[in-house]
Amino acid sequence: ASLSRDQQELELHIALAITWQGVGGGQIPKVKKAYTRARELCEKLNKPAGLAQVLGGLSIFYYVRADHHTAKDLAEEAFNLAVSIKDPLLMMLCNWYLGFIQFCLGEFTASLEHLRQVIESYDYQRHRQGLVQLRGSDAGLGAMAYEACCLWCLGYPDQALKRSQETLDLAREYGHPFTLADVFCFAGCLFSSMKRDASNLEKESNALMLLAKEASLTGWLATGTRYRGEALILQGKLQEGAAQAYEGIGSMRSENIGIYVTGTLATLVEAQIKAEHLEDGLATLGEAFAVVEQTDERYWEAELYRLKGKLLLMDRDVTGGEACFHKAMEIACKQSAKSLELRAAMDLCRLWQQKGKNSQAKKLLEEIYNWFTEGFDTPDLLEAKALLD
C-alpha cells in the first residue's frame, strides 16, 4: 500500500510541477518544492525514467532563472539516464533541454547538434501528445523553433526563415497553449529580434501577449511585453519602447525569469546610438554586460562588443572602438556565428575606410561576404554588398 501511495504521490508532484512551471507567477517556489519531492520519491522507488523526467524539469527551472551551468549539469544527468534506459521520448526531451541551454551560452554548433537529434526522431502526428504529457509542451516544435534561431546565427538566414515559418504554422495548427507560447517566443519573437525585423516582432509579441492573457500565463506575458517594447524601439519609438521593454524586464524579474534580456538591452543601445544618446547608451550597455557576467548568457555577446565599439567611436575613442570590433569578430568567430561576425566586420570596415585602409577593409569584408551561400536579399547582406561596391 505504501508503495502505491508513493507512486501516486510521485505522479501528483510531477503533474503539479509541470502545470505550475507553465503558468509562472506566484507558483514558482512551489515548482522547485514539487520537483525536489518527486526526485526523492524517484530515488526511493528506483524509477530511472521518472528521475530523468524530474531532473529535466529541474534543468528548465534553473535555465529560466539564467543559472545555465546548473541547468546544463542537470540536463546532462537526465540525458545519460534516458540513454541508459533507451527511452526515445525522454532522449528527445533531454536533447531539447541541452539544445536551448547551449544556445543561451553561445555554443551554437553544439546546440544545433542536440536540436537536430530531436528533430530527426520527431514525428509531429505521433509524438506531440506524449511529449506534452511528459513536459507540458511539445519539445519537437520547441526544438524546431530554436533551430531557426541557431541557423540564423550560424549564417543560414534562408533556411532559418523557412524553419521559423514552418514551426509557427504547425504550432498554430496544433493550438496547444504552452507549445504556442514557446514557439511564438522563439521561432517568432527571438528570431525576429535577432534579424531586427520590427513589423514581424510587433505582430509576434502581440500574439504572445494575447495568448498569455487568454491562458493566464504570466511569465509569457512579461516576455511578450519586453519584446513588444523592442519592436517599438526598432520602429524608432525610443521612449515608449524603452518604457515597455523595461516594464517587461521588471515583470520577468518578479517572475524569476532571467533569460534573453541582453538581446533587448542591445536593441535599446542600438537605438540610443542612432539618437546620439551617448551616456544612456553606455549605461544600458553596462547593464547588459553585468547580465553576461552574472549569468554567462553569451548568445549576444559579440553584438554587445560591436555596440560598445560604436559608442566608443561616438566618444572619439578610435583605438578603443577598433579593439571592440576586433573582439566582437573574435567572439563571433569562436561561436561560428557568421551573421554576427558579418555585422562586426562591416563596422570595422567603415572605420578602416575613414582611416584610408581601403584595401584591407575590402579584403576583410570580401572574405566573410563570400562565405555566405544564401540570404543575399536580407538587410545585413544587402548592406555588406553595398559597402563592398
Side-chain angles (χ1 to χ4, degrees):
S2 82
L3 262 182
S4 75
R5 192 199 153 281
D6 284 347
Q7 181 60 39
Q8 282 175 327
E9 189 191 346
L10 171 61
E11 285 163 17
L12 178 68
H13 279 298
I14 290 175
L16 285 171
I18 289 170
T19 307
W20 286 333
Q21 205 161 25
V23 172
Q27 312 301 340
I28 295 305
K30 296 179 185 173
V31 173
K32 192 178 180 187
K33 200 174 165 188
Y35 273 135
T36 306
R37 177 63 184 143
R39 187 178 184 170
E40 287 165 8
L41 288 162
C42 285
E43 283 161 357
K44 181 182 170 186
L45 295 165
N46 189 22
K47 296 272 183 191
L51 187 56
Q53 186 185 1
V54 168
L55 292 173
L58 273 171
S59 85
I60 292 190
F61 176 86
Y62 286 103
Y63 158 76
V64 168
R65 269 139 212 76
D67 183 349
H68 299 303
H69 295 289
T70 306
K72 192 178 171 184
D73 291 345
L74 285 160
E76 279 171 349
E77 204 182 325
F79 180 70
N80 293 334
L81 271 171
V83 170
S84 72
I85 56 173
K86 299 186 173 59
D87 186 313
L89 279 184
L90 280 172
M91 278 154 71
M92 280 162 78
L93 268 184
C94 296
N95 268 311
W96 177 47
Y97 301 152
L98 286 165
F100 60 63
I101 292 164
Q102 288 185 299
F103 179 86
C104 235
L105 290 163
E107 298 166 7
F108 300 127
T109 21
S111 168
L112 188 63
E113 277 171 38
H114 283 293
L115 298 170
R116 291 226 157 130
Q117 292 285 327
V118 183
I119 294 159
E120 278 161 22
S121 43
Y122 173 70
D123 179 316
Y124 172 65
Q125 297 299 347
R126 220 173 71 228
H127 291 133
R128 57 186 179 174
Q129 279 310 114
L131 288 167
V132 166
Q133 278 169 343
L134 273 176
R135 168 57 219 131
S137 70
D138 181 350
L141 293 182
M144 286 161 68
Y146 270 99
E147 189 195 24
C149 298
C150 245
L151 285 168
W152 185 85
C153 290
L154 291 165
Y156 302 99
D158 290 348
Q159 290 175 57
L161 181 62
K162 187 170 176 265
R163 179 57 96 194
S164 157
Q165 289 170 336
E166 179 192 358
T167 312
L168 285 162
D169 289 345
L170 280 172
R172 286 193 192 98
E173 180 193 308
Y174 185 17
H176 178 260
F178 288 174
T179 304
L180 257 177
D182 202 38
V183 170
F184 279 159
C185 182
F186 298 108
C189 297
L190 178 62
F191 182 65
S192 296
S193 157
M194 295 195 305
K195 296 194 318 171
R196 305 192 190 106
D197 180 344
S199 63
N200 270 324
L201 182 55
E202 184 174 29
K203 199 172 73 188
E204 286 141 1
S205 57
N206 283 337
L208 179 58
M209 287 169 76
L210 183 66
L211 171 75
K213 281 174 188 163
E214 284 170 355
S216 305
L217 307 174
T218 51
W220 290 115
L221 180 60
T223 301
T225 306
R226 168 170 68 83
Y227 277 123
R228 188 161 185 281
E230 226 182 287
L232 294 170
I233 292 166
L234 286 169
Q235 289 164 8
K237 299 168 187 168
L238 187 51
Q239 268 180 300
E240 190 191 344
Q244 189 148 74
Y246 274 115
E247 183 196 327
I249 290 170
S251 305
M252 280 170 62
R253 286 187 178 143
S254 68
E255 297 271 340
N256 287 306
I257 302 169
I259 39 177
Y260 298 108
V261 170
T262 53
T264 299
L265 293 174
T267 301
L268 182 53
V269 174
E270 197 139 20
Q272 287 164 334
I273 290 168
K274 264 189 196 150
E276 296 184 356
H277 296 168
L278 175 65
E279 293 306 315
D280 291 347
L282 287 167
T284 310
L285 194 66
E287 206 182 321
F289 273 118
V291 174
V292 173
E293 285 317 302
Q294 261 169 325
T295 65
D296 231 6
E297 174 176 288
R298 298 194 183 269
Y299 84 103
W300 218 231
E301 191 184 13
E303 278 290 83
L304 296 179
Y305 275 102
R306 183 181 72 81
L307 295 169
K308 185 179 179 180
K310 291 179 85 156
L311 282 164
L312 292 177
L313 291 187
M314 271 173 75
D315 207 16
R316 297 194 172 80
D317 177 0
V318 176
T319 313
E322 187 168 350
C324 283
F325 295 149
H326 278 293
K327 175 84 171 162
M329 284 187 69
E330 184 192 314
I331 291 165
C333 187
K334 198 171 124 197
Q335 296 176 340
S336 305
K338 283 290 174 186
S339 292
L340 303 181
E341 196 183 339
L342 178 71
R343 285 183 181 175
M346 286 195 281
D347 281 333
L348 185 57
C349 285
R350 286 190 194 94
L351 178 60
W352 279 358
Q353 267 184 310
Q354 288 164 14
K355 291 172 115 184
K357 294 162 79 172
N358 275 355
S359 61
Q360 276 167 279
K362 190 170 189 228
K363 185 172 179 285
L364 172 77
L365 193 53
E366 252 174 0
E367 206 169 284
I368 182 157
Y369 181 82
N370 291 335
W371 177 91
F372 282 86
T373 53
E374 59 178 85
F376 295 107
D377 57 349
T378 59
D380 285 336
L381 283 155
L382 287 168
E383 192 185 324
K385 181 78 175 85
L387 193 54
L388 273 173
D389 292 343

